[in-house]
Amino acid sequence: MEKPMTVIPKNFKTSLLAGLAAAATLGMASPALADHHAASDMQSDPTIVEIAMSTGVHETLVTAVKAADLVDTLSNSGPFTVFAPTDTAFAKLPDGTVATLVQPANKGQLTGVLTYHAVQGAVSSSDLVALINQHGGSATITTLSGGELTARLSGDTIVITDAAGRATAVTNADVSAANGVIHVTDGVFLPG
């Protein structure tokens, strides 16, 4: 059996700006997405962060992006693929995790967590499924933080496993944004 494919080579080097932009692009999904898709037919797509700020279910993500001083990087064109946890996903973390991460003293750690959710390039769900099938049932994805995620299928659902073995489902795939694609998740990835 072949070794699972790495979407981003392990020696991939991003500039600090690209890494920060990817970190800022973490998460979007809600009933507002239906409005986003209808509106995108009439105008250009909003950025990933603009979508997150408009959904009403990504308040924690927006707070984290602001705490990491990453909002201004959204003008970066990417493209990026972002696995975007909702507020409900953040609420599953142990008590105090988010409050600790958003403290100014933990800005570097917060940036690491955010970039662990982002991949260089636009990778659609059909691209992920093809990679999973081509590589014996799992595909390794290297994130902008340098960490790895593993993608598998559970029925028709893409499941992403982080470095600690926590499995997270993609609940809404292929949300189009001006600077990439968003796959909404029901959990937060934590490196190691």
Side-chain angles (χ1 to χ4, degrees):
M1 179 188 303
E2 289 182 28
K3 180 180 175 187
M5 180 179 172
T6 299
V7 175
I8 302 300
K10 290 186 181 193
N11 62 357
F12 178 76
K13 294 182 181 180
T14 63
S15 69
L16 178 59
L17 183 58
L20 293 177
T25 62
L26 275 184
M28 331 327 133
S30 79
L33 289 176
D35 295 335
H36 157 70
H37 287 298
S40 68
D41 292 338
M42 298 182 294
Q43 59 188 333
S44 65
D45 287 340
T47 65
I48 293 170
V49 170
E50 289 170 335
I51 295 170
M53 290 178 170
S54 71
T55 66
V57 297
H58 291 95
E59 301 299 323
T60 306
L61 178 63
V62 171
T63 298
V65 168
K66 288 178 180 179
D69 291 327
L70 300 174
V71 174
D72 290 340
T73 64
L74 296 178
S75 60
N76 212 359
S77 60
F80 301 105
T81 299
V82 175
F83 295 96
T86 63
D87 293 338
T88 302
F90 278 103
K92 295 177 185 178
L93 294 173
D95 287 343
T97 301
V98 174
T100 299
L101 283 173
V102 298
Q103 293 176 1
N106 298 322
K107 187 174 176 179
Q109 185 180 6
L110 177 60
T111 299
V113 169
L114 294 175
T115 58
Y116 192 48
H117 290 76
V119 175
Q120 183 69 39
V123 181
S124 70
S125 61
S126 60
D127 294 335
L128 277 173
V129 170
L131 289 171
I132 291 166
N133 289 333
Q134 289 171 2
H135 298 284
S138 68
T140 300
I141 304 166
T142 301
T143 68
L144 290 179
S145 72
E148 291 186 344
L149 300 169
T150 303
R152 292 184 175 87
L153 288 175
S154 177
D156 291 336
T157 302
I158 297 171
V159 176
I160 308 293
T161 304
D162 66 15
R166 291 178 291 261
T168 297
V170 172
T171 59
N172 190 357
D174 300 321
V175 178
S176 177
N179 57 343
V181 62
I182 303 158
H183 302 303
V184 178
T185 64
D186 67 358
V188 177
F189 309 145
L190 295 175

